[in-house]
Amino acid sequence: MTTTTKSPATVFVAYPPTRGDPRECYTSIRNTVASVANYVQVVAPDVAALASHVAARRPDLAARAWYAALLVVAGKVHIGGSGYRTLATVRSQFNDRDYTIFTSSHDHLSPLRCTCPDSNHAPTTSGARHACKHVIAYVMVKQLAEEAK
């Protein structure tokens, strides 16, 4: 079940923490892509479907897609932000740092970018200069918000 709250500057998608705490999945030393995928499939099948779709189409993004799904389930993606090019902020899964998702032009049609360290190393896609897990999580939340309309 998805809870969507809309305000003028923010669309926030959260899942009730009824079947476990995503922080347990973050901090586990045995945290593998398979365990993350299993957790997301149990807690949020709609998010798991999006991650599966990304993983099937782009195997090079599979791990990032599942970790992005975990960010979505944990409610760490916040649409909107300060600045005309800022599209969202995504809270780090390991610390209290926020990463910014932005475009490089004012028309929001240019590729998405992120301020995280992985953004310079992640594979390139048609919609993102580098598709780190934060950018993928942002796209998932936007897709969920569209489906909720």
Side-chain angles (χ1 to χ4, degrees):
M1 181 169 92
T2 307
T3 305
T4 305
T5 307
K6 294 182 182 181
S7 68
T10 304
V11 175
F12 176 68
V13 178
Y15 291 86
T18 55
R19 296 189 182 176
D21 186 351
R23 289 173 294 190
E24 292 173 12
C25 200
Y26 289 150
T27 57
S28 171
I29 299 247
R30 298 183 187 118
N31 187 7
T32 64
V33 174
S35 66
V36 169
N38 288 336
Y39 177 82
V40 173
Q41 288 168 351
V42 169
V43 175
D46 51 345
V47 177
L50 292 173
S52 292
H53 180 75
V54 171
R57 295 192 81 176
R58 291 288 304 265
D60 57 330
L61 294 175
R64 286 180 176 92
W66 286 108
Y67 285 108
L70 195 56
L71 289 170
V72 172
V73 169
K76 293 185 177 267
V77 181
H78 301 278
I79 304 297
S82 60
Y84 69 95
R85 295 185 302 166
T86 301
L87 302 175
T89 56
V90 181
R91 183 67 109 183
S92 170
Q93 71 186 62
F94 296 113
N95 57 42
D96 289 336
R97 183 165 182 180
D98 286 332
Y99 297 111
T100 303
I101 307 299
F102 65 98
T103 63
S104 55
S105 70
H106 66 284
D107 61 10
H108 296 286
L109 297 176
S110 63
L112 300 174
R113 298 177 147 222
C114 182
T115 57
C116 77
D118 184 46
S119 68
N120 291 326
H121 308 289
T124 302
T125 67
S126 61
R129 177 146 183 165
H130 298 286
C132 65
K133 65 186 171 193
H134 307 105
V135 167
I136 296 170
Y138 164 74
V139 172
M140 286 180 178
V141 168
K142 292 290 285 184
Q143 181 68 35
L144 290 168
E146 287 295 316
E147 290 173 4
K149 287 183 180 178

